[in-house]
Amino acid sequence: MAPAADRQGYWGPTTSTLDWCEENYAVTWYMAEFWNTVSNLIMIIPPIFGAIQSVRDGLEKRYIAAYLALTVVGMGSWCFHMTLKYEMQLLDELPMIYSSCIFVYCMFECFKTKNSVNYHLLFTLVLFSLIVTTVYLKVKEPVFHQVMYGMLVFTLVLRSIYIVTWVYPWLRGLGYTSLGVFLLGFLLWNVDNIFCDSLRNFRKKVPPIVGVTTQFHAWWHILTGLGSYLHILFSIYTRTLYLRYRPKVKFLFGIWPMILIEPLRKH
C-alpha cells in the first residue's frame, strides 16, 4: 500500500481505508490516482455496448444486468481512485460483490428453460449481498471484502471449469482465456501491494513513460475488466448454445470481442 504521506489535491485528505501504490496527485491536481482512475474506462464503455447488443439480440434481462453491473463497478472504481474518499470506496467495492452475484446467477441458470426465474438462488444471493454489505459497513475491514469477493470468483471458476469439462469442451478457449486474464490481473495486484516501495523508487529513476508501465493496479483494472467482460461472453455463449441459437464471437475493428446471436433456422 502507498505511504501515508502523499501530495494533497483537489479532493482533500484521504479518507478511504485503502491507498494504493500510485503516487497521489502526481499527474493532475484533480485526480488522486490518475492511471488507476482512467484505466477503469475498459470496465465502463465496452459493457455498455455489450448491453445494447444484448437488447438487440433479445437476450434475457440478467445478461443486460451483468453488463451494466460491470459498468457500475468501473464507474465506482473511477470515483474511488479519483478521490480516495471512503464513500467512493464503498461505491467501488460493494458493486464488485453485487455484480459477481449477478454473474453467479447467470452461470447457474444457463441450463434452464428460457425466461425462468430461480427464486431460491435469487433470494440466497440477495441475502448474501445484504449480509456482506451490513458486516462490511460495520467492520470496515478491506480483507473481509476481499475474502467475500474471492469466494464469489472461486464459485464462478468452479462452475466454468465444470461447463468446459463436462458440457461444452469446445468453449475451453474462451473460458480459460477469461480466467487466465483475470488471474494475471490478480498477480499484478499482489505485486503492486507487496513491492510498492521498490516500484516507487524505480519510477523515480526512469522516464515517466517507463514508470507508467509499472502502475500495476491500473493493469489490474485493465486485465480484470477484460477478464470479466470475457466471462460475460462465455456465460452468454453457454446460454445461447443451450437455447439452440447460433452464437458467434466477432471482433469489433478486428480487436474487441463481441457476441452476435443468430436464431436457429427452422426447417
Side-chain angles (χ1 to χ4, degrees), residues 7-12 24-32 82:
R7 296 183 192 177
Q8 292 296 311
Y10 178 81
W11 300 100
N24 293 352
Y25 297 102
V27 176
T28 171
W29 190 64
Y30 294 101
M31 289 186 182
M82 182 173 67

Side-chain angles (χ1 to χ4, degrees), residues 146-191:
Q146 290 160 10
V147 170
M148 294 299 102
Y149 178 65
M151 285 173 54
L152 292 169
V153 172
F154 185 64
T155 301
L156 289 169
V157 169
L158 290 181
R159 182 64 171 173
S160 299
I161 291 174
Y162 164 77
I163 289 172
V164 301
T165 302
W166 301 105
V167 187
Y168 297 136
W170 55 90
L171 291 185
R172 284 176 184 167
L174 181 56
Y176 288 149
T177 298
S178 166
L179 176 59
V181 169
F182 193 96
L183 289 178
L184 178 58
F186 180 63
L187 172 65
L188 295 182
W189 181 84
N190 281 284
V191 170

Side-chain angles (χ1 to χ4, degrees), residues 104-129:
V104 168
Y105 184 86
C106 289
M107 289 297 286
F108 280 85
E109 289 298 291
C110 57
F111 302 124
K112 301 292 179 65
T113 56
K114 190 172 183 180
N115 294 319
S116 63
V117 179
N118 186 336
Y119 290 102
H120 292 97
L121 179 58
L122 199 60
F123 174 80
T124 301
L125 291 171
V126 170
L127 182 62
F128 177 82
S129 298

